[in-house]
Amino acid sequence: MAHLQHRRPQNVSGAFYVDTSCIDCDTCRWMAPEVFHREAGQSAVYQQPTGQKAHEKALQALLSCPTASIGTQDRDPRIKAVQQQFPLPIAGSVYHCGYHSEQSYGAASYLIQRPEGNVLVDSPRFAPPLVRQLEQRGGVRYLYLTHRDDVADHQKFHDHFGCDRILHQADLTPSTQGIERPLQGDQPWLLSPDLLIIPVPGHTQGHTVLLYQDRYLFTGDHLAWSDSLNKIIAFKNHCWYSWEKLKSSTQKLLNYSFEWLLPGHGRRHYAPAETMHQDLQACIHWMYQP
């Protein structure tokens, strides 16, 4: 938990603060941008929340912080009510789980709620308030892992829900050797009529993305939206396997239609399918610039 004695001096005065344990993962800044920003290499409160909505968003960011680096001077009586809000709705049957894990460097995870069985996309923290909400929504049928970096508490979710874990074999590590559905090869896999897994090596050798209903693309650490650049980007400086492979695998995504780009790191993005296609083309053009 955050410690008041380690409160960063960059915070403005008031109830909310960030302490020096912040790992600069960006979670709070995109969840509550009217409260948190980046200063001197870490997050800080630049404006105390005003109004119920801003206060709720600040508490949602507090609960989602992977290192519990956000605190309030006194225990906030609204925290339990905000716990009940997770998973947070995004669009349709897709939700943001919150409760990011330090093991995944604060990556976002998502819930797809569907009659055929819910899908957890990458692993959040195994936090009891979130687990209770997932139980009430029908549990977890599949825990789909985009790549080796964002597996976090996968074993705890499997043990609790009995879900099948899905990860490409090229990204297996000692902690994931026992997963139920290791993927092989370099061709797309149809998990069900509405769920298509697409291999996109680059960030890691076994990275894949998940296309749901030809509308939602869960991209892990492959692609994200940049608010500051106003475009889709890839993380060349954090490409652990092959930038050339990442570029070529991104071109394959032009064969698919989607409206939502939902990353593990970076900002999510919505645009009509035709505009999204153009945004992706612009990203590929940028990738190939010298």
Side-chain angles (χ1 to χ4, degrees):
M1 59 181 295
H3 296 283
L4 190 58
Q5 63 268 34
H6 298 307
R7 177 178 180 140
R8 301 190 68 224
Q10 291 83 0
N11 294 286
V12 299
S13 61
F16 282 86
Y17 66 92
V18 180
D19 77 6
T20 55
S21 65
C22 170
I23 59 172
D24 194 30
C25 73
D26 193 41
T27 294
C28 65
R29 302 195 295 264
W30 64 258
M31 290 190 69
E34 59 276 87
V35 175
F36 302 96
H37 72 169
R38 188 175 192 267
E39 189 171 347
Q42 292 178 308
S43 292
V45 175
Y46 76 97
Q47 178 174 283
Q48 293 293 332
T50 56
Q52 179 180 347
K53 190 63 177 177
H55 196 102
E56 286 183 352
K57 289 173 69 175
L59 288 174
Q60 290 168 358
L62 181 155
L63 291 168
S64 297
C65 176
T67 49
S69 301
I70 302 171
T72 55
Q73 290 185 0
D74 300 301
R75 181 168 176 80
D76 196 301
R78 286 168 279 193
I79 193 74
K80 287 189 176 181
V82 173
Q83 287 176 339
Q84 306 304 312
Q85 296 174 358
F86 288 94
L88 303 172
I90 297 175
S93 56
V94 173
Y95 301 81
H96 168 217
C97 290
Y99 294 95
H100 296 196
S101 171
E102 185 176 8
Q103 297 176 59
S104 301
Y105 203 79
S109 62
Y110 303 91
L111 173 70
I112 305 172
Q113 191 168 3
R114 47 200 290 278
E116 302 83 0
N118 296 340
V119 181
L120 200 57
V121 179
D122 287 329
S123 175
R125 271 179 284 138
F126 191 80
L130 175 62
V131 172
R132 287 193 291 269
Q133 292 298 317
L134 294 175
E135 289 171 344
Q136 293 175 16
R137 292 169 180 264
V140 179
R141 175 67 185 89
Y142 298 110
L143 174 47
Y144 161 72
L145 302 167
T146 56
H147 66 298
R148 69 187 183 208
D149 297 337
D150 295 349
V151 301
D153 286 335
H154 71 94
Q155 187 67 51
K156 293 180 180 179
F157 282 99
H158 167 72
D159 292 345
H160 186 82
F161 289 107
C163 53
D164 284 354
R165 294 163 293 177
I166 304 168
L167 176 65
H168 197 285
Q169 67 172 5
D171 266 23
L172 293 181
T173 65
S175 74
T176 52
Q177 286 293 332
I179 69 166
E180 292 67 40
R181 297 200 179 196
L183 304 173
Q184 300 181 19
D186 58 1
Q187 296 301 310
W189 299 270
L190 193 65
L191 185 60
S192 70
D194 59 343
L195 293 167
L196 181 68
I197 299 172
I198 306 165
V200 285
H203 175 74
T204 62
Q205 185 176 357
H207 201 300
T208 63
V209 297
L210 178 67
L211 181 61
Y212 172 55
Q213 291 185 338
D214 293 328
R215 188 181 181 201
Y216 306 92
L217 187 69
F218 299 90
T219 57
D221 289 355
H222 185 71
L223 297 173
W225 179 259
S226 169
D227 279 346
S228 60
L229 298 176
N230 196 39
K231 66 180 182 182
I232 297 174
I233 61 168
F235 303 103
K236 186 174 183 179
N237 292 334
H238 298 88
C239 183
W240 312 132
Y241 174 58
S242 168
W243 179 244
E244 292 303 315
K245 290 283 189 180
L246 194 150
K247 290 192 294 186
S248 61
S249 64
T250 300
Q251 291 187 70
K252 295 191 301 183
L253 296 179
L254 291 171
N255 297 323
Y256 303 95
S257 176
F258 56 95
E259 299 173 355
W260 281 93
L261 191 151
L262 300 163
H265 292 102
R267 312 300 171 92
R268 57 185 181 235
H269 178 52
Y270 169 80
E274 183 176 347
T275 302
M276 186 68 81
H277 188 83
Q278 295 169 355
D279 291 340
L280 185 58
Q281 287 178 315
C283 173
I284 293 169
H285 177 74
W286 163 74
M287 286 178 173
Y288 279 90
Q289 295 305 301

CSV table of all heavy atoms in Angstrom, one decimal, residues 22-42:
chain,number,residue,atom,x,y,z
A,22,CYS,N,6.2,4.2,-7.3
A,22,CYS,CA,5.6,4.2,-8.7
A,22,CYS,C,6.6,3.7,-9.7
A,22,CYS,O,7.8,4.1,-9.6
A,22,CYS,CB,5.2,5.7,-9.0
A,22,CYS,SG,4.7,5.9,-10.8
A,23,ILE,N,6.2,2.8,-10.6
A,23,ILE,CA,7.1,2.3,-11.6
A,23,ILE,C,6.8,2.9,-13.0
A,23,ILE,O,7.3,2.4,-14.0
A,23,ILE,CB,6.9,0.7,-11.7
A,23,ILE,CG1,5.5,0.3,-12.0
A,23,ILE,CG2,7.4,0.1,-10.4
A,23,ILE,CD1,5.3,-1.2,-12.3
A,24,ASP,N,6.1,4.0,-13.0
A,24,ASP,CA,5.8,4.7,-14.2
A,24,ASP,C,5.2,3.9,-15.3
A,24,ASP,O,5.5,4.0,-16.5
A,24,ASP,CB,7.2,5.3,-14.8
A,24,ASP,CG,7.0,6.4,-15.8
A,24,ASP,OD1,6.0,7.1,-15.8
A,24,ASP,OD2,7.9,6.5,-16.7
A,25,CYS,N,4.2,3.1,-14.9
A,25,CYS,CA,3.6,2.2,-15.9
A,25,CYS,C,2.5,2.8,-16.7
A,25,CYS,O,2.0,2.3,-17.7
A,25,CYS,CB,3.0,1.0,-15.2
A,25,CYS,SG,1.5,1.3,-14.2
A,26,ASP,N,2.0,4.0,-16.3
A,26,ASP,CA,1.1,4.8,-17.1
A,26,ASP,C,-0.4,4.5,-16.7
A,26,ASP,O,-1.3,5.2,-17.2
A,26,ASP,CB,1.3,4.7,-18.6
A,26,ASP,CG,0.6,5.7,-19.4
A,26,ASP,OD1,0.5,6.9,-19.0
A,26,ASP,OD2,0.0,5.3,-20.5
A,27,THR,N,-0.6,3.5,-15.9
A,27,THR,CA,-2.0,3.0,-15.7
A,27,THR,C,-2.9,4.2,-15.2
A,27,THR,O,-4.0,4.5,-15.8
A,27,THR,CB,-2.1,1.9,-14.7
A,27,THR,OG1,-1.4,0.7,-15.2
A,27,THR,CG2,-3.5,1.5,-14.3
A,28,CYS,N,-2.5,4.9,-14.1
A,28,CYS,CA,-3.3,5.9,-13.6
A,28,CYS,C,-3.5,7.1,-14.5
A,28,CYS,O,-4.6,7.7,-14.5
A,28,CYS,CB,-2.8,6.4,-12.2
A,28,CYS,SG,-1.2,7.2,-12.3
A,29,ARG,N,-2.6,7.3,-15.4
A,29,ARG,CA,-2.6,8.5,-16.3
A,29,ARG,C,-3.6,8.3,-17.4
A,29,ARG,O,-4.2,9.3,-17.8
A,29,ARG,CB,-1.2,8.8,-16.8
A,29,ARG,CG,-0.2,9.0,-15.7
A,29,ARG,CD,1.1,9.7,-16.2
A,29,ARG,NE,1.8,8.9,-17.1
A,29,ARG,CZ,2.9,8.1,-16.8
A,29,ARG,NH1,3.2,8.0,-15.5
A,29,ARG,NH2,3.6,7.5,-17.7
A,30,TRP,N,-3.8,7.0,-17.8
A,30,TRP,CA,-4.9,6.9,-18.8
A,30,TRP,C,-6.2,6.5,-18.2
A,30,TRP,O,-7.3,6.8,-18.8
A,30,TRP,CB,-4.5,5.9,-19.9
A,30,TRP,CG,-4.3,4.4,-19.5
A,30,TRP,CD1,-3.1,3.8,-19.4
A,30,TRP,CD2,-5.3,3.4,-19.4
A,30,TRP,NE1,-3.3,2.5,-19.1
A,30,TRP,CE2,-4.6,2.2,-19.1
A,30,TRP,CE3,-6.7,3.4,-19.4
A,30,TRP,CZ2,-5.3,1.0,-18.8
A,30,TRP,CZ3,-7.3,2.2,-19.2
A,30,TRP,CH2,-6.7,1.0,-18.9
A,31,MET,N,-6.2,6.1,-17.0
A,31,MET,CA,-7.5,5.8,-16.3
A,31,MET,C,-8.2,7.0,-15.8
A,31,MET,O,-9.4,7.2,-15.8
A,31,MET,CB,-7.3,4.7,-15.2
A,31,MET,CG,-7.1,3.3,-15.7
A,31,MET,SD,-7.1,2.1,-14.4
A,31,MET,CE,-8.9,2.1,-14.1
A,32,ALA,N,-7.3,8.0,-15.3
A,32,ALA,CA,-7.9,9.2,-14.7
A,32,ALA,C,-7.0,10.4,-15.1
A,32,ALA,O,-6.3,11.0,-14.3
A,32,ALA,CB,-8.0,9.1,-13.2
A,33,PRO,N,-7.0,10.7,-16.4
A,33,PRO,CA,-6.0,11.7,-16.9
A,33,PRO,C,-6.3,13.1,-16.3
A,33,PRO,O,-5.4,14.0,-16.4
A,33,PRO,CB,-6.2,11.7,-18.4
A,33,PRO,CG,-7.6,11.2,-18.6
A,33,PRO,CD,-7.8,10.2,-17.5
A,34,GLU,N,-7.5,13.4,-15.8
A,34,GLU,CA,-7.8,14.7,-15.2
A,34,GLU,C,-7.2,14.8,-13.8
A,34,GLU,O,-7.2,15.9,-13.2
A,34,GLU,CB,-9.3,14.9,-15.2
A,34,GLU,CG,-10.1,13.9,-14.4
A,34,GLU,CD,-10.5,12.7,-15.2
A,34,GLU,OE1,-9.7,11.8,-15.2
A,34,GLU,OE2,-11.6,12.7,-15.8
A,35,VAL,N,-6.6,13.7,-13.2
A,35,VAL,CA,-6.1,13.7,-11.9
A,35,VAL,C,-4.5,13.5,-11.9
A,35,VAL,O,-3.8,14.2,-11.2
A,35,VAL,CB,-6.7,12.7,-11.0
A,35,VAL,CG1,-6.1,12.6,-9.6
A,35,VAL,CG2,-8.2,13.0,-10.9
A,36,PHE,N,-4.1,12.5,-12.7
A,36,PHE,CA,-2.7,12.1,-12.7
A,36,PHE,C,-2.0,12.5,-14.0
A,36,PHE,O,-2.5,12.5,-15.1
A,36,PHE,CB,-2.6,10.6,-12.6
A,36,PHE,CG,-3.3,10.0,-11.3
A,36,PHE,CD1,-4.6,9.6,-11.4
A,36,PHE,CD2,-2.6,10.0,-10.1
A,36,PHE,CE1,-5.2,9.1,-10.3
A,36,PHE,CE2,-3.3,9.5,-9.0
A,36,PHE,CZ,-4.6,9.0,-9.1
A,37,HIS,N,-0.7,12.9,-13.8
A,37,HIS,CA,0.2,13.1,-15.0
A,37,HIS,C,1.6,12.6,-14.6
A,37,HIS,O,1.8,12.2,-13.5
A,37,HIS,CB,0.1,14.5,-15.5
A,37,HIS,CG,0.8,15.5,-14.6
A,37,HIS,ND1,1.1,16.8,-14.9
A,37,HIS,CD2,1.3,15.4,-13.3
A,37,HIS,CE1,1.7,17.4,-14.0
A,37,HIS,NE2,1.9,16.6,-13.0
A,38,ARG,N,2.5,12.7,-15.6
A,38,ARG,CA,3.9,12.3,-15.4
A,38,ARG,C,4.7,13.5,-15.1
A,38,ARG,O,4.7,14.5,-15.8
A,38,ARG,CB,4.4,11.6,-16.6
A,38,ARG,CG,5.7,10.9,-16.5
A,38,ARG,CD,6.1,10.1,-17.7
A,38,ARG,NE,7.2,9.2,-17.6
A,38,ARG,CZ,8.5,9.5,-17.8
A,38,ARG,NH1,8.7,10.7,-18.3
A,38,ARG,NH2,9.4,8.7,-17.7
A,39,GLU,N,5.5,13.4,-14.1
A,39,GLU,CA,6.4,14.4,-13.7
A,39,GLU,C,7.7,13.8,-13.1
A,39,GLU,O,7.6,13.0,-12.1
A,39,GLU,CB,5.8,15.4,-12.7
A,39,GLU,CG,6.6,16.7,-12.5
A,39,GLU,CD,5.9,17.7,-11.7
A,39,GLU,OE1,4.6,17.6,-11.6
A,39,GLU,OE2,6.5,18.7,-11.3
A,40,ALA,N,8.8,14.2,-13.6
A,40,ALA,CA,10.1,13.7,-13.1
A,40,ALA,C,10.2,12.2,-13.1
A,40,ALA,O,10.7,11.5,-12.2
A,40,ALA,CB,10.4,14.2,-11.7
A,41,GLY,N,9.7,11.5,-14.1
A,41,GLY,CA,9.8,10.1,-14.4
A,41,GLY,C,8.9,9.2,-13.6
A,41,GLY,O,9.0,8.0,-13.7
A,42,GLN,N,7.9,9.8,-12.9
A,42,GLN,CA,6.9,9.0,-12.2
A,42,GLN,C,5.6,9.7,-12.3
A,42,GLN,O,5.5,10.9,-12.7
A,42,GLN,CB,7.3,8.8,-10.8
A,42,GLN,CG,8.5,7.9,-10.6
A,42,GLN,CD,8.9,7.7,-9.1
A,42,GLN,OE1,9.0,8.7,-8.4
A,42,GLN,NE2,9.0,6.5,-8.6
